[in-house]
């Protein structure tokens, strides 16, 4: 049971208009946003930040951003965000093979050297305490521009906020996210858990 119940999707017209963004990324407005709209300014600021972070200005693709978000969320243990990010990765072109092998990225030919550097950075940056070191930074800079690194860290940081929000709130998972979690994460230790 969630700590705070989400409000109706049409509770605030301005939030509802901005939240249409999620119809593309997930196919529905997430319950996290419907809870945030109890303070519309938080919901609006979050949606604008999400749009800015997920906007592709450089070489980092939409699919790669969602895989980075998934790794970040799995690393912090947020089952809600894991289901959302794997669903979004699939919607943005991630193959089932890439999604099923994401945790074997270090040794897999399915992932480029640039992706491996970004994924390693995402895991280190989302760890507590932070584990970004000189080698991880150097490897990242070898494959990505400084502008791209800002986008990558933007994803990690956005999901750092979401992981804390949804795990603390016990945000209820939507049916489409549950289905994605069961389909793509069923072989891992993923479960709906407190997000029922």
């Amino acid at each position: 049971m969630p700590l705070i119940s989400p409000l109706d999707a049409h509770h605030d017209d301005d939030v509802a208009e901005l939240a249409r963004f999620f119809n593309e990324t997930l196919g529905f407005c997430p319950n996290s946003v419907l809870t945030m709209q109890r303070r519309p300014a938080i919901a609006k600021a979050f949606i604008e930040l999400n749009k800015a972070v997920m906007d592709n200005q450089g070489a980092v693709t939409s699919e790669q951003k969602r895989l980075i978000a998934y790794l970040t969320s799995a690393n912090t243990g947020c089952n809600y965000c894991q289901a959302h990010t794997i669903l979004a990765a699939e919607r943005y072109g991630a193959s089932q093979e890439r999604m099923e092998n994401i945790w074997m990225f270090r040794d897999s030919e399915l992932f480029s050297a640039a992706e491996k550097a970004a994924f390693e950075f995402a895991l280190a940056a989302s760890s507590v305490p932070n584990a970004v070191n000189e080698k991880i930074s150097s490897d990242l800079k070898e494959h990505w521009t400084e502008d791209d690194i800002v986008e990558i860290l933007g994803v990690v940081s956005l999901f750092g906020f979401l992981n804390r929000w949804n795990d603390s709130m016990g945000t209820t998972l939507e049916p489409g996210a549950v289905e994605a979690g069961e389909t793509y994460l069923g072989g891992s230790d993923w479960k709906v858990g407190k997000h029922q």
Side-chain angles (χ1 to χ4, degrees), residues 20-21 26 42-43 50 63 67-68 86 89 94 100 110 116 118 133 146:
R20 288 182 7 171
F21 162 76
L26 296 170
I42 293 174
N50 196 314
E63 183 241 13
L67 291 175
I68 289 165
I86 208 69
E100 288 174 352
L110 294 170
K116 291 175 184 183
N133 59 32
E146 290 185 350

Side-chain angles (χ1 to χ4, degrees), residues 38-64:
R38 288 182 178 276
R39 292 295 180 259
I42 293 174
K44 291 177 204 174
F46 167 74
I47 295 166
E48 291 293 356
L49 177 62
N50 196 314
K51 290 167 67 174
V53 167
M54 292 306 192
D55 186 34
N56 300 323
Q57 296 292 315
V60 189
T61 69
S62 293
E63 183 241 13
Q64 289 166 334

Side-chain angles (χ1 to χ4, degrees), residues 150-184:
V150 166
E151 286 191 39
I152 292 166
L153 187 54
V155 174
V156 174
S157 299
L158 174 70
F159 278 87
F161 172 83
L162 281 168
N163 298 157
R164 295 295 166 250
W165 180 276
N166 290 305
D167 240 6
S168 298
M169 283 287 184
T171 308
T172 303
L173 266 166
E174 308 79 6
V178 171
E179 183 180 328
E182 291 171 346
T183 300
Y184 300 114

Side-chain angles (χ1 to χ4, degrees), residues 39-122:
R39 292 295 180 259
I42 293 174
K44 291 177 204 174
F46 167 74
I47 295 166
E48 291 293 356
L49 177 62
N50 196 314
K51 290 167 67 174
V53 167
M54 292 306 192
D55 186 34
N56 300 323
Q57 296 292 315
V60 189
T61 69
S62 293
E63 183 241 13
Q64 289 166 334
K65 285 184 177 183
R66 274 57 184 199
L67 291 175
I68 289 165
Y70 167 72
L71 287 169
T72 297
S73 299
N75 198 38
T76 63
C78 180
N79 291 341
Y80 181 90
C81 292
Q82 287 178 61
H84 277 224
T85 55
I86 208 69
L87 170 61
E90 186 269 333
R91 289 176 68 92
Y92 282 94
S95 68
Q96 184 161 350
E97 190 176 23
R98 277 172 61 87
M99 289 186 290
E100 288 174 352
N101 288 283
I102 188 67
W103 284 106
M104 294 172 274
F105 72 85
R106 291 176 183 100
D107 301 315
S108 176
E109 293 181 5
L110 294 170
F111 304 99
S112 69
E115 288 175 319
K116 291 175 184 183
F119 296 163
E120 208 65 71
F121 176 76

